[in-house]
Amino acid sequence: MAAASNLLSEDQFLCSICLNVFINPVSIPCGHNFCKNCITEHWNTNDRCQCPKCKEAFTIRPDLRINTFISEMVVQFKQSAQQKTSSSSSEQQVSKPGEVPCDVCTGTKLKALKSCLVCLASYCETHLEPHLTTSRLKRHQLIDPVENLEDRMCTKHDKPLELFCKTDQTCVCMLCHVVDHKMHDVVPLKEEYEGKKAELGKTEAEIQQMIQKRRLKIQEIKHSVDLSEEDADREIAEGVQVFTALKESVERGQANLINTIKEKQKTTEKQAEASIKELEQEISELTKRKTEVEQLKRSEDHIHLLQSVQSLKAAPPTKDWTEVSVRPSYEGTVRRAVAQLEKTISKEMKKLLEDELKRVQQYAVDVTLDPDTAHPDLILSDDGKQVNDSDVRKNLPDNPKRFSNYVNVLAKQSFSSGIFYFEVQVKGKTKWTLGVARESINRKGIIPLNPQNGYWTIWLGNGNEYKAPASPSVSLSLKSRPQKVGVFVDYEEGLISFYDVDAAALIYSFTGCCFTEKLFPFFCPGVNDGGKNSAPLFISPVNQAE
C-alpha cells in the first residue's frame, strides 16, 4: 500500500465540490465520490437529486454510507503528505539578512515562500500548507514574499487597500472610496493591476524594440568600424606607396644632383690638369729662353750678340692666361634639382587629387532647387536644376523660408548625417556663391555668409576674385578658372571641401566644423549686372568616371 500511495497524487483525493481532501468520503450509485457533508448539502439546496459531476439524476435520494476503502486511502495519503512536509521542512532555508522571514515561525525564522495579501502575513513552506489545501484559504491572494505588508493597509481606516483611485492615482480602501473618493474614478485594485500590467507589456515590447534597434545600431557601427578599418588599410597602403615613390624620387634627385656636381668637378679637374700641363710646358720653354738670354747677355762678341738677338725676337709669343679660369659655376644646380622634384610631386599630387575626386563623387546626391526659398528676383528652371537673376522683382507671397535681401536659394534636400556631394556648373559667370547652410539661418537680414552665421561657402566676385568667407576671409589663388565646382560634405567629420572638377584640384576646405542641425545645399547666382552675369548656375549630373 505504501508503494501504491507513492503513485497517487493529491488530485485523486479531492472532493469536486469543496476541492479539499475527502472528509468522510461516500460513493453514490453513478460511481463518483464526495465528502458526505458536501453532497448532502448540495442535494439539500437543489430541487433535483443528481450527481454534480456526471449529472445523472436519481428518483430516490441514495442512502449515503462511508466508503471505507477510500477513507483508509485518504488517511494513508495524509500521513504520507505529512511525512513529506516534515522532511521538506527540515530542508528549508533559514531566513538570511535581506530575505523575508516567516511570520508564523517561532524561534528560528525560516525563509518565507509566499506572502498573503489577505492575511497580511508571510509564510514558510510548512506554514503555507493551509493556504494550499484549505478551501477558504485557497481564495486568498498569494504573491512572492515581501516585507512591510502593513503598508498594504490603509493607515487611516486600517482596512486592506483593495481599490485604486484613478483620479488621484493612489491605492485606497473601501471606506476611503465612500468617504474621501466618492466622486472619483475608483476601480478594483486587480482591474487597475491588469490594465497597468497590459501597459507594462506594451512598454516592455517598446523597450525590447528599442533594444533591438540599438543592437542593430551596434552591428551597424561595428560594420562601419570594419569598413573604416578596410579604408584605413587601403589609405595606409596608398600612402606608403605614394611616399615610397616620393622618397625614391627624392633619393634619385639627390643622387642626380651629387652626380652632376661630381661630374662638373671631374671636368674641372681635367681642365685644370691640362692647363697646368700646358703652363708647365710653357714655363719649361721660357726657362730655356731665359737661360739663352742670360748667356747672350754675358757675351762680349758684338756680332754674335746682335745676330742672336734677332733669332730671339723671331720666337713664337707665349699664350695669354689672364682670362683663363678653371673654377666651375654650381649656381642653379640645386634649384633645378628641386624644381624637378617639385614637378614630380605635383604630378603625384594631381594623381592623388584625381583619385580623391573619384572617391567623393561616389557620394553624389540628387539636388533640386526649392522655389519656396528663392529670392523674388531669381528665375528657376522647371526641373529645379538651374537658377539665374532676372533683375525683375516678382510679386511672391512672403514665405518665412524665402530670402529677401540677397538673391539666394536653398535646395529642397537637407542632410543631418552622413556624406553627400553635388556639382554645379559656373561657366560664363562673373559672380557666384556656393556651399551649404544650416536650417536656422537668418533669411531676411543682411548677414555675412560665414560659418558664424551658418554658411560654409566660397564665392567669385569681380570676374576673377575668389574667396572663402572664413574667419578671417581667405583669398584663394587658383591656377585656372573653375568651370564646374564640386561640393563635398562629411557631416560627422565636420568637413566641407570644394573642388575644381575639370582640373581635379582642391579649391578650399573647411575643417573641424561642428554641425548640430540640418544642412541645405546653398546657391547664389549673383546679380545679373546688366547681362554681364546672366549665365545660370546649373546643378549638373555627376560623371562618376571609373
Side-chain angles (χ1 to χ4, degrees):
M1 182 65 72
S5 65
N6 291 334
L7 302 176
L8 300 176
S9 66
E10 182 181 5
D11 293 341
Q12 295 172 292
F13 298 101
L14 294 181
C15 171
S16 60
I17 297 177
C18 68
L19 300 178
N20 288 324
V21 178
F22 289 125
I23 299 175
N24 297 326
V26 295
S27 299
I28 61 176
C30 63
H32 291 118
N33 304 300
F34 305 94
C35 296
K36 184 176 182 180
N37 289 339
C38 291
I39 190 63
T40 300
E41 185 178 351
H42 176 74
W43 283 340
N44 290 339
T45 56
N46 287 276
D47 296 335
R48 301 183 64 188
C49 183
Q50 62 180 9
C51 176
K53 293 190 71 174
C54 67
K55 305 303 180 183
E56 181 180 344
F58 310 109
T59 54
I60 300 174
R61 179 182 289 198
D63 185 20
L64 300 176
R65 295 184 181 182
I66 302 297
N67 188 322
T68 56
F69 176 75
I70 295 179
S71 181
E72 290 175 359
M73 290 289 292
V74 169
V75 170
Q76 291 188 14
F77 175 78
K78 286 182 177 181
Q79 290 175 351
S80 175
Q82 287 176 356
Q83 290 175 359
K84 290 181 180 179
T85 301
S86 175
S87 175
S88 62
S89 296
S90 63
E91 298 174 357
Q92 292 183 63
Q93 297 179 358
V94 176
S95 175
K96 300 176 182 178
E99 295 179 339
V100 179
C102 175
D103 291 325
V104 183
C105 286
T106 58
T108 301
K109 293 284 188 178
L110 298 181
K111 177 182 176 181
L113 294 183
K114 294 289 182 181
S115 294
C116 177
L117 295 180
V118 179
C119 302
L120 294 179
S122 299
Y123 303 101
C124 64
E125 184 176 355
T126 301
H127 296 119
L128 182 65
E129 184 66 22
H131 278 77
L132 302 177
T133 57
T134 304
S135 177
R136 178 175 56 83
L137 296 179
K138 277 185 175 182
R139 300 187 183 94
H140 290 191
Q141 186 176 355
L142 297 177
I143 61 172
D144 289 334
V146 294
E147 294 182 318
N148 302 323
L149 284 168
E150 60 273 8
D151 292 343
R152 300 172 184 270
M153 298 290 289
C154 176
T155 56
K156 187 175 181 180
H157 304 109
D158 198 26
K159 297 289 183 182
L161 298 173
E162 300 177 297
L163 303 173
F164 184 81
C165 177
K166 289 189 172 184
T167 307
D168 293 339
Q169 290 293 300
T170 184
C171 298
V172 297
C173 70
M174 288 292 186
L175 287 178
C176 288
H177 177 30
V178 176
V179 178
D180 301 322
H181 301 263
K182 187 175 182 180
M183 303 303 295
H184 292 182
D185 184 8
V186 177
V187 297
L189 202 61
K190 187 175 182 180
E191 179 181 329
E192 184 65 17
Y193 163 82
E194 295 294 341
K196 292 298 182 185
K197 192 172 182 180
E199 290 180 9
L200 289 174
K202 293 180 181 179
T203 303
E204 182 184 13
E206 292 172 357
I207 293 174
Q208 181 60 36
Q209 189 175 9
M210 293 170 67
I211 292 172
Q212 187 63 25
K213 286 182 178 179
R214 280 152 181 78
R215 284 176 177 165
L216 291 174
K217 178 56 70 175
I218 288 174
Q219 293 178 1
E220 179 184 332
I221 292 172
K222 287 182 178 179
H223 181 61
S224 298
V225 170
D226 292 339
L227 294 178
S228 176
E229 186 175 2
E230 293 175 4
D231 292 342
D233 292 341
R234 184 180 64 250
E235 288 294 320
I236 290 173
E238 291 180 0
V240 169
Q241 183 179 356
V242 170
F243 276 92
T244 300
L246 291 176
K247 181 181 176 182
E248 291 173 354
S249 296
V250 170
E251 290 173 348
R252 282 196 303 270
Q254 179 181 343
N256 291 336
L257 173 65
I258 293 172
N259 290 335
T260 300
I261 295 174
K262 285 184 176 181
E263 287 297 325
K264 281 192 174 184
Q265 179 62 21
K266 286 181 180 179
T267 301
T268 300
E269 290 175 357
K270 288 181 179 180
Q271 290 175 349
E273 288 176 0
S275 297
I276 290 171
K277 185 176 181 180
E278 187 177 352
L279 284 167
E280 287 176 344
Q281 185 177 354
E282 289 186 0
I283 289 172
S284 176
E285 292 177 358
L286 289 172
T287 301
K288 182 179 178 182
R289 286 177 64 84
K290 180 183 177 184
T291 302
E292 292 175 354
V293 170
E294 288 177 346
Q295 290 175 354
L296 187 60
K297 182 180 176 183
R298 288 194 298 271
S299 175
E300 295 181 356
D301 187 344
H302 298 162
I303 294 175
H304 174 71
L305 186 146
L306 293 173
Q307 289 177 343
S308 297
V309 168
Q310 293 297 324
S311 64
L312 286 175
K313 288 183 179 178
T318 58
K319 181 178 179 180
D320 184 6
W321 290 89
T322 305
E323 301 298 329
V324 175
S325 173
V326 293
R327 184 178 179 181
S329 174
Y330 295 108
E331 293 297 329
T333 305
V334 176
R335 177 183 56 77
R336 286 191 293 274
V338 173
Q340 181 61 40
L341 180 61
E342 183 181 6
K343 185 177 180 181
T344 302
I345 293 175
S346 297
K347 184 178 179 181
E348 289 293 334
M349 281 296 297
K350 182 172 178 60
K351 183 176 179 301
L352 286 174
L353 283 169
E354 288 174 350
D355 292 341
E356 179 180 328
L357 184 59
K358 288 179 182 178
R359 283 198 296 270
V360 301
Q361 285 178 330
Q362 296 176 2
Y363 298 98
V365 294
D366 186 22
V367 174
T368 53
L369 302 169
D370 184 1
D372 291 338
T373 66
H375 185 277
D377 286 2
L378 294 179
I379 298 176
L380 275 60
S381 62
D382 293 338
D383 61 0
K385 296 294 184 180
Q386 298 186 45
V387 58
N388 64 296
D389 178 39
S390 66
D391 271 344
V392 178
R393 179 66 60 93
K394 295 189 291 292
N395 186 17
L396 297 175
D398 185 17
N399 189 322
K401 297 196 297 183
R402 191 181 307 283
F403 289 96
S404 61
N405 291 81
Y406 294 113
V407 286
N408 302 335
V409 61
L410 298 178
K412 291 181 179 179
Q413 294 75 19
S414 65
F415 305 88
S416 56
S417 64
I419 301 174
F420 63 95
Y421 173 84
F422 61 94
E423 293 180 353
V424 182
Q425 184 172 299
V426 296
K427 184 177 181 180
K429 298 193 65 60
T430 59
K431 297 178 181 179
W432 52 259
T433 305
L434 292 174
V436 294
R438 66 184 179 216
E439 187 176 25
S440 63
I441 53 173
N442 186 344
R443 310 182 190 197
K444 304 301 180 183
I446 301 175
I447 303 295
L449 304 183
N450 55 35
Q452 284 74 17
N453 296 315
Y455 297 87
W456 291 266
T457 63
I458 61 171
W459 60 263
L460 165 66
N462 302 322
N464 59 0
E465 183 181 352
Y466 295 90
K467 285 190 177 182
S471 297
S473 183
V474 179
S475 294
L476 305 175
S477 179
L478 307 183
K479 293 182 179 180
S480 60
R481 289 172 56 87
Q483 304 298 301
K484 186 184 292 184
V485 176
V487 183
F488 172 79
V489 179
D490 187 333
Y491 193 98
E492 282 74 21
E493 189 68 21
L495 172 67
I496 302 175
S497 296
F498 299 86
Y499 295 89
D500 181 339
V501 176
D502 297 326
L506 177 66
I507 299 174
Y508 185 77
S509 289
F510 291 94
T511 59
C513 306
C514 182
F515 305 126
T516 57
E517 54 184 279
K518 292 179 181 178
L519 295 179
F520 289 81
F522 172 87
F523 309 86
C524 175
V527 295
N528 188 285
D529 196 17
K532 295 180 182 179
N533 189 41
S534 60
L537 288 177
F538 170 48
I539 304 172
S540 57
V542 177
N543 181 21
Q544 299 181 24
E546 294 295 332

